[in-house]
Amino acid sequence: LFPYTTLFRSTALRSATASRIASTLGVAHSADREALVRAIEARGLPPSRYETLLWGPPPTSEADLVQLANDLDALEKEIRHD
């Protein structure tokens, strides 16, 4: 049960973050991944900074899930220049 829950939660976190980043960058929510990638890269972020966070494997523990949430938050703030 736990791996399924972690997968579900990480997918929800990643999806919500990608949606907010898309809004920040003026990318339609219905746009494909490549459109979002181009917009993120236009902000000067290298793929190593966001690819694993947004589309990587699911966390394997509750601690990893918390770390993912924190890292996604930091990425979003970085893109918004907070």
Side-chain angles (χ1 to χ4, degrees), residues 48-70:
S48 62
R49 175 69 184 98
Y50 62 85
E51 279 188 341
T52 300
L53 288 177
L54 292 175
W55 300 292
T60 57
S61 70
E62 190 71 25
D64 289 343
L65 181 63
V66 170
Q67 185 63 53
L68 175 64
N70 291 333

Side-chain angles (χ1 to χ4, degrees), residues 68-82:
L68 175 64
N70 291 333
D71 291 346
L72 287 169
D73 184 56
L75 174 65
E76 192 174 344
K77 287 178 180 177
E78 183 177 350
I79 288 172
R80 285 192 327 247
H81 299 293
D82 284 359

Side-chain angles (χ1 to χ4, degrees), residues 21-40:
I21 288 172
S23 289
T24 297
L25 299 178
V27 175
H29 293 270
S30 59
D32 64 8
R33 176 176 165 171
E34 288 305 311
L36 184 56
V37 165
R38 285 190 301 274
I40 293 171

